[in-house]
Amino acid sequence: MRGQQERSGSLFSYVSIEERIPASHPLRRIRKLADQALDRLNPTFCALYAAEGRPSVPPEQLLLASLLQAFYGIRSERLLLEQLQYNLLFRWFIGLGPDDPIWHPTTFTKNRERLLNEELMERFLNKVMAAPEVQPLLSDEHFSVDGTLLQAWASHASLERIDGQDDPPPPPSGPGEGFGQSKAGKKRAKGDFRGVKLSNQTHRSTTDPDALLARKSNAHPAQPSYRGHVLMDNRHALIVDCRVTQAVGTGERDAAKAMAAELPGAHKKTLGADKNYDTKGMVAELRRIGVTPHVAQNTNRPGGSAIDGRTTRHKGYAQSINARRGIEKVFGWIKQWGGLRQFKLRGTEKVAAVFGLHVIAYNLIRLGNLLRPAAMEAA
């Protein structure tokens, strides 16, 4: 018998939002880990807010909503709040009931600015990785490091000379008398850099002064960028540290040295890295702080590789080089799925906070998959 379609919906629902979420849904395991970390961050939240005044958006719900934005690659806070109007899964994850009102987009954005700082994201990451069920998954000996360019929210049109002077007149755009020569008295249009050599010593973005011109290779154009760095545990490809720096030539090696020096414990550790880290200064510094450099050899570098047979003859060297490839999945997920191919915020502090939030989101997804067998056995 054919069922009849009813256009008028029910006024009331007697099924709780908790019952509507499948017991095997991956967000259940993720929310448990996130809630535990946020509970341990309660003293930090208390220090950020005044004891009196109008209540703001709860920081726990705000961070959970930001994680959802990273999980599903939602482009903006306005689209996220639109989803919260009708998506019961999102409401359940944040802790909102079906009838709870949704915040205004401007209110949500203004409140999120209070939490968008690198220090808080670092604490959030540390609390997630310090969970009792996460600790057995981590190794305290073998790590990998790498960096990637993060395109800033700025364009070439925002570049201006640092000294305040004007660039020389542009050359003619077509054939004719004096072709190839600049025409005296003619001013350049904004964003017209024909015949001008752009560099970080002469030009700087006016919309994001912290962003520097950088390119991935000679085959790619130079764009205003930052550089993101992550330190990965080799056992299960989990990120244990991250940071953002300006896109300078030595930024990757400087960040790697700093993150390696902060690794806890005085025991021997290994650090895998690609050919860009194969310099005498980098290798010497890692050995000085008690970290064995498992760096890929760059035999084309003038003077040869800084890694010799004392390191490459060990079986662990090849294992570190192979495990290091897992770090590329982190950058691929953050840029392709997390929506951070180009940032929509300006300034090193905010870029570092958003980058750290997406690293936490990647870890939570990874932990949800790693802890799934144990959760299924317990059920």
Side-chain angles (χ1 to χ4, degrees), residues 98-336:
D99 299 326
D100 291 339
I102 300 301
W103 315 288
H104 191 275
T106 303
T107 303
F108 182 87
T109 302
K110 288 293 184 181
N111 279 267
R112 201 174 84 138
E113 290 179 357
R114 187 196 304 265
L115 303 177
L116 275 182
N117 62 80
E118 189 175 5
E119 181 182 358
L120 181 59
M121 292 301 109
E122 182 181 357
R123 293 185 182 182
F124 192 7
L125 176 62
N126 291 336
K127 298 300 183 183
V128 170
M129 305 311 292
E133 55 266 51
V134 176
Q135 283 295 305
L137 301 176
L138 299 176
S139 166
D140 60 352
E141 296 179 345
H142 306 295
F143 302 90
S144 296
V145 69
D146 203 358
T148 186
L149 282 181
L150 307 172
Q151 188 174 348
W153 193 243
S155 66
H156 286 105
S158 67
L159 296 175
E160 292 185 359
R161 289 185 64 91
I162 297 176
D163 55 14
Q165 299 180 5
D166 294 331
D167 289 315
S173 57
E177 184 179 356
F179 176 65
Q181 299 294 326
S182 299
K183 188 175 180 180
K186 184 177 181 180
K187 289 188 176 181
R188 286 181 177 269
K190 188 174 180 62
D192 181 8
F193 296 106
R194 290 176 299 152
V196 177
K197 184 178 181 180
L198 298 176
S199 71
N200 292 318
Q201 287 69 39
T202 58
H203 292 76
R204 192 61 52 88
S205 171
T206 55
T207 56
D208 191 355
D210 290 346
L212 300 180
L213 287 170
R215 57 185 177 181
K216 185 176 181 180
S217 67
N218 293 333
H220 295 79
Q223 299 284 354
S225 307
Y226 292 91
R227 198 176 293 276
H229 315 270
V230 297
L231 183 69
M232 181 188 75
D233 177 82
N234 285 355
R235 178 174 292 176
H236 287 103
L238 294 168
I239 307 303
V240 296
D241 197 0
C242 67
R243 59 193 63 193
V244 169
T245 63
Q246 289 186 305
V248 296
T250 61
E252 286 189 339
R253 293 188 289 273
D254 294 339
K257 294 174 188 176
M259 290 189 291
E262 294 177 3
L263 288 173
H267 55 280
K268 281 286 185 179
K269 312 174 190 69
T270 66
L271 185 67
D274 59 27
K275 293 182 179 181
N276 186 53
Y277 298 83
D278 184 13
T279 64
K280 293 183 179 180
M282 176 73 184
V283 171
E285 177 62 18
L286 289 179
R287 287 173 174 163
R288 186 189 67 82
I289 61 178
V291 177
T292 303
H294 284 180
V295 178
Q297 290 181 296
N298 187 0
T299 56
N300 296 326
R301 187 183 298 276
S305 173
I307 301 294
D308 52 29
R310 293 178 300 171
T311 303
T312 59
R313 63 186 176 90
H314 294 286
K315 182 180 179 180
Y317 175 80
Q319 293 175 342
S320 292
I321 295 298
N322 184 62
R324 191 207 63 81
R325 300 171 185 173
I327 211 168
E328 301 295 342
K329 298 179 182 179
V330 183
F331 297 140
W333 183 89
I334 288 176
K335 292 183 178 181
Q336 185 67 29

Side-chain angles (χ1 to χ4, degrees), residues 81-103:
L81 296 177
E82 179 183 324
Q83 286 268 358
L84 286 176
Q85 290 286 356
Y86 52 80
N87 194 321
L88 292 180
L89 175 65
F90 284 12
R91 281 179 171 266
W92 167 84
F93 186 83
I94 295 175
L96 295 174
D99 299 326
D100 291 339
I102 300 301
W103 315 288

Side-chain angles (χ1 to χ4, degrees), residues 17-28 89 92:
I17 191 172
E18 181 73 26
E19 295 178 3
R20 294 181 182 273
I21 310 302
S24 60
H25 199 284
L27 279 184
R28 284 192 175 274
L89 175 65
W92 167 84

